[in-house]
Amino acid sequence: MRYLVAGGITWRAMPADFPAWDRVYAFFRRWRDKGLTAEFHDRLRDRVRQAAGRDLEPTAGVIDAQSVKAAASVPAVTRGFDGGKKVNGRKRHIVVDTLGLLLAVMVTAASVTDRDAGQTLLARLRERHWRVTRVWADGGYTGRLVDFARDAWRIALTVVRRSDDTSGFTVLPKRWLVERTFAWLMHSRRLARDYETRTDTSEAVIKWAMKLPLDRGHLETGILRFQRK
């Protein structure tokens, strides 16, 4: 799976010295459906947090979304057009901790707004990480979602806005953390666009892609050191 995600190959292009592609896919599908991919990812993330001197359960996160083009294999019912980014495809919604490690992910059609997806994504976050009480976001998450997050889950959704008099690229507090995570994910060629027929398959592929920087022993920033045993 790491080879397929990193190289961006098709299932049938699995090298001959690997197990047969349909056997590998059978394991991938079974782990996806039984939640084992998520459990594997979460255990590895917890070890990295522990090695960095952090509590296993985070208390804060950052939310954002990324629109990507969809391949022809993506059915029309799960794809859409993002008018802001001018992208016809799907949208990846993620929440990361303050180290940039993945906490929750959801894949939708690109036409789904950040606010609408954010409500479901924050519910997933609360279900798995009950100690999170603050989440930073961009202007796409303003409105009723801020009140709903506070009232339903006691999460302070804080919008980090870009200054009106700022031109060009600017590193915004907290928001750069999730942007860096998207950059890590895009190192996996399988994520250059969305090739998956099902959205839950896309979410599983994202978790596999996130294992690559985790398992290298550092997260390209030099702040984490993870000794594999």
Side-chain angles (χ1 to χ4, degrees):
M1 275 305 306
R2 288 161 55 104
Y3 185 91
L4 180 140
V5 172
I9 64 172
T10 62
W11 286 101
R12 294 179 183 271
M14 199 73 69
D17 55 339
F18 280 19
W21 75 267
D22 53 346
R23 292 182 58 195
V24 179
Y25 178 71
F27 273 97
F28 167 79
R29 182 177 57 191
R30 189 179 311 152
W31 291 3
R32 177 200 64 196
D33 295 343
K34 293 184 178 297
L36 297 180
T37 300
E39 182 179 350
F40 181 31
H41 167 271
D42 291 351
R43 288 189 180 189
L44 184 57
R45 182 198 60 226
D46 290 347
R47 292 182 66 182
V48 174
R49 284 185 58 87
Q50 190 174 33
R54 303 295 185 94
D55 193 284
L56 294 183
E57 279 298 326
T59 59
V62 191
I63 188 173
D64 203 356
Q66 176 192 54
S67 295
V68 293
K69 294 181 179 179
S73 55
V74 174
V77 69
T78 59
R79 65 192 298 162
F81 184 74
D82 182 346
K85 301 293 179 60
K86 307 299 187 216
V87 172
N88 186 348
R90 281 180 174 162
K91 188 179 289 188
R92 300 163 181 160
H93 310 265
I94 66 172
V95 180
V96 302
D97 65 9
T98 53
L99 295 178
L101 309 182
L102 188 67
L103 299 179
V105 58
M106 183 175 69
V107 175
T108 68
S111 55
V112 177
T113 66
D114 294 350
R115 295 186 191 91
D116 292 340
Q119 184 169 329
T120 303
L121 186 60
L122 290 177
R124 292 188 183 185
L125 177 69
R126 171 58 71 183
E127 182 179 354
R128 298 186 67 89
H129 303 284
W130 56 273
R131 289 186 59 190
V132 174
T133 58
R134 179 176 294 277
V135 174
W136 289 278
D138 63 19
Y141 297 89
T142 56
R144 66 181 185 277
L145 182 60
V146 176
D147 297 331
F148 190 86
R150 181 190 64 240
D151 299 337
W153 305 299
R154 297 183 180 178
I155 294 178
L157 188 62
T158 305
V159 176
V160 181
R161 298 183 182 276
R162 178 187 175 96
S163 176
D164 294 336
D165 57 356
T166 301
S167 60
F169 175 76
T170 303
V171 177
L172 299 177
K174 303 302 181 183
R175 279 173 50 183
W176 69 271
L177 294 166
V178 69
E179 296 292 348
R180 183 182 61 181
T181 303
F182 279 130
W184 290 338
L185 291 174
M186 294 307 289
H187 288 169
S188 297
R189 294 184 179 180
R190 185 80 180 192
L191 296 181
R193 62 176 58 203
D194 198 315
Y195 295 95
E196 318 308 330
T197 303
R198 295 168 42 167
T199 56
D200 59 345
T201 299
S202 293
E203 294 167 6
V205 169
I206 290 172
K207 290 185 175 70
W208 276 104
M210 195 63 199
K211 291 186 182 71
L212 301 179
L214 285 175
D215 211 29
R216 278 201 298 266
H218 63 283
L219 294 180
E220 302 179 0
T221 61
I223 62 173
L224 297 181
R225 291 294 180 267
F226 175 54
Q227 299 297 326
R228 288 181 291 179
K229 297 181 181 179

